[in-house]
Amino acid sequence: MKRIIIDMDDVITKTDWFTGIESVIKGKMDRTYPGFHLEDILTPEDQKRFFANFDKINFYNYAVLLDDCYEVMEELSKQYDIYICSTYTWSGVQDKVGTHLKNKYDFLYKNLSFIHPDKYIFTSNKNIIKADIRIDDRIENLRNGKIKLLFTAWHNKEFTDEYLKSKNIIRVNNWQDIKKILIK
């Protein structure tokens, strides 16, 4: 059976990171930020407040499964060996990421009951895991896959079709696109 590695954040879930951060800094953020690490746009004072309270934020209180994710993943699980592989570390708060890891685990356990927790992988280096198919929102996490699916997210829209084709990467915009490619 072919193995699929599927990322969690911005692939399985739609998480409102802004609201989670704003709940701690008690202010509004620029929601048009084009980068990847949202905390980088905070003032030094807000960064201090954010990191000091990081373990009190449950970002998954602001998360939902993406449309069609549950149904398509359940279908995929009948044809493929599925693993959910997600990063849980944040730079600057390594001593507090245990709470974030638990929140990720709890969200997956509650919302994707057909995927056994033995199939959850939490790591910062996803490329150490061998897989035939990789689905992620970050290009660097697609290495070593025979089929590489880049899930469109706010931080990867700048990659052109030509560039992705040169890297043997297929862009998918939703779970129905994934279904068309992988369900036989």
Side-chain angles (χ1 to χ4, degrees):
M1 190 177 279
K2 289 186 176 179
R3 180 180 299 161
I4 300 178
I5 298 292
I6 304 174
D7 180 36
M8 180 177 174
D9 301 309
D10 296 321
V11 175
I12 291 173
T13 64
K14 179 179 185 220
T15 305
D16 185 352
W17 303 105
F18 292 102
T19 298
I21 294 171
E22 289 170 350
S23 72
V24 170
I25 67 167
K26 308 293 187 217
K28 294 287 182 194
M29 295 176 62
D30 175 6
R31 290 178 179 246
T32 61
Y33 177 64
F36 184 75
H37 297 285
L38 294 178
E39 69 272 16
D40 291 344
I41 62 172
L42 297 174
T43 65
E45 182 180 306
D46 284 342
Q47 273 195 12
K48 262 189 216 171
R49 191 175 10 241
F50 169 67
F51 287 124
N53 292 288
F54 179 83
D55 55 340
K56 295 172 183 71
I57 305 169
N58 184 348
F59 289 103
Y60 298 98
N61 285 338
Y62 312 103
V64 294
L65 290 176
L66 287 171
D67 291 342
D68 303 317
C69 173
Y70 186 94
E71 297 79 12
V72 173
M73 282 187 67
E74 191 171 39
E75 275 188 70
L76 287 170
S77 72
K78 295 172 185 164
Q79 295 181 29
Y80 299 95
D81 189 17
I82 295 178
Y83 289 82
I84 298 169
C85 189
S86 187
T87 300
Y88 68 95
T89 58
W90 287 60
S91 61
V93 286
Q94 288 81 2
D95 60 330
K96 296 183 178 190
V97 295
T99 303
H100 186 62
L101 175 58
K102 180 186 181 321
N103 295 338
K104 275 185 178 254
Y105 177 96
D106 290 346
F107 183 91
L108 290 171
Y109 190 77
K110 176 182 172 191
N111 290 283
L112 294 172
S113 57
F114 61 92
I115 304 285
H116 192 277
D118 288 350
K119 304 282 182 140
Y120 305 163
I121 302 168
F122 299 105
T123 181
S124 294
N125 183 1
K126 296 179 183 181
N127 291 303
I128 63 171
I129 312 300
K130 290 186 179 184
D132 302 290
I133 303 163
R134 292 181 175 273
I135 306 170
D136 207 295
D137 61 320
R138 297 189 73 191
I139 285 181
E140 57 268 22
N141 294 329
L142 296 173
R143 283 180 279 175
N144 305 322
K146 293 176 186 155
I147 298 174
K148 304 174 211 178
L149 304 180
L150 179 68
F151 203 98
T152 299
W154 55 276
H155 54 82
N156 69 26
K157 291 180 180 178
E158 78 277 3
F159 296 114
T160 65
D161 291 340
E162 294 82 28
Y163 176 78
L164 295 177
K165 189 175 182 178
S166 75
K167 300 288 184 186
N168 198 28
I169 296 172
I170 302 165
R171 182 182 291 280
V172 292
N173 295 305
N174 54 55
W175 279 90
Q176 287 302 318
D177 287 352
I178 293 170
K179 181 177 180 176
K180 288 175 193 168
I181 295 168
L182 298 179
I183 301 290
K184 308 292 183 219

